[in-house]
Amino acid sequence: MSTTVEYAPIGLVGVLTPQANTTVEPELQCLCPPGVGLLAARMCSTAPDLEARLRDYYREPQRWTAQFANAPLGVVASACTGSSYLIGAHAEDVLFDAWSRDLGVPVTNSALAVVAAMRALGVTRMSLVSPYPAWLTDASQAYWRSRGLEVARVQRLATDASRFHPIYALGSAAAREGIASLGADTAQAVLLLGTGTPTLGAIATPPDNAAGVPVVSCNLALWWHALELLQGHAAAPRAHTLHALLAEPRWRRRLGEIVAA
């Protein structure tokens, strides 16, 4: 029996997002090439604080992918980096290897995708723009270093605790201002942290100080990595190199239509 999906002849990506994240699906839909489908599910926790919720997301994670039932997924992509920082690289590798074996398809997340993206770009030294509180920003730096990535500089974004969510309520202008605030440094790339932070606008039109330096977000890296891992149509993902995705005009047009609405 054929498992081809009418609107996803190349393949279907299962995307997991934190429960209140309002950014992942719109950004990935902008980035989605013709022939690839996106099916989303939520990772949920009733824990009262952010750290506990982030840890909850990767406890028994198969409960999240169970929401996809028997949908013919080619890859699963978890759009959460904060959980990776807290469980650490070794536990993450063990977890995702087992998860992939259990599902029978590759499972990745935004932190693993960033590591793969930086390797693809030949980057070993990067600067960070972070919407996180100080403790999670510090955990992030430790995680990247454990993965062999040097952190040159960090610029934290100001958030408003009175909004529905301090991070998700940011606009891409905040990410752009964060890049500008880094000034000139020796980093080989800029990484925009937080899958809930709108970032595509900042990637589309980065400030002058980022000219010639790749600006990568966790969501963009995740989608690129998902395409790389997508099974069944190996020729299609190969066409979507990271450089090509960064320069792709299609998602810029889609983004412009959304912003103009």
Side-chain angles (χ1 to χ4, degrees):
M1 182 176 66
S2 173
T3 58
T4 300
V5 175
E6 177 79 11
Y7 299 120
I10 290 176
L12 189 62
V13 180
V15 176
L16 300 174
T17 71
Q19 55 202 37
N21 191 305
T22 56
T23 304
V24 168
E25 288 107 325
E27 291 204 336
L28 298 193
Q29 289 287 7
C30 275
L31 295 168
C32 191
V36 175
L38 184 159
L39 191 62
R42 297 275 155 172
M43 299 184 291
C44 298
S45 170
T46 58
D49 64 272
L50 175 60
E51 181 175 355
R53 289 194 298 274
L54 289 173
R55 292 188 183 278
D56 273 356
Y57 294 153
Y58 284 170
R59 288 192 181 101
E60 301 178 5
Q62 291 83 354
R63 57 191 162 147
W64 312 134
T65 42
Q67 296 173 83
F68 297 126
N70 63 344
L73 303 178
V75 63
V76 171
S78 172
C80 183
T81 41
S83 298
S84 297
Y85 309 150
L86 297 181
I87 70 172
H90 175 71
E92 179 180 48
D93 288 342
V94 171
L95 173 66
F96 276 77
D97 285 347
W99 200 356
S100 297
R101 287 196 304 272
D102 180 60
L103 286 181
V105 299
V107 184
T108 188
N109 69 14
S110 43
L112 294 169
V114 165
V115 174
M118 293 303 168
R119 287 174 181 164
L121 292 170
V123 168
T124 58
R125 178 179 171 86
M126 62 185 185
S127 289
L128 307 177
V129 175
S130 173
Y132 301 137
W135 63 268
L136 192 54
T137 300
D138 291 345
S140 164
Q141 293 182 72
Y143 173 88
W144 301 124
R145 288 175 178 134
S146 77
R147 291 294 192 185
L149 292 167
E150 183 181 354
V151 177
R153 295 188 63 184
V154 178
Q155 179 61 47
R156 287 184 57 211
L157 301 179
T159 56
D160 183 353
S162 69
R163 305 292 296 276
F164 83 97
H165 193 290
I167 293 176
Y168 305 161
L170 290 170
S172 59
R176 195 173 189 279
E177 290 167 8
I179 300 169
S181 297
L182 287 170
D185 62 35
T186 57
Q188 299 165 291
V190 175
L191 175 61
L192 306 177
L193 296 180
T195 63
T197 308
T199 56
L200 287 186
I203 295 171
T205 56
D208 291 342
N209 65 303
V213 177
V215 177
V216 178
S217 70
C218 293
N219 283 340
L220 187 140
L222 179 65
W223 192 244
W224 164 78
H225 201 218
L227 293 178
E228 288 287 293
L229 295 172
L230 194 58
Q231 292 182 340
H233 296 268
R238 293 293 106 187
H240 296 89
T241 67
L242 186 53
H243 283 295
L245 186 58
L246 285 166
E248 167 61 55
R250 184 185 296 110
W251 68 257
R252 285 172 166 78
R253 289 196 297 270
R254 289 175 175 170
L255 181 66
E257 291 170 357
I258 294 171
V259 172

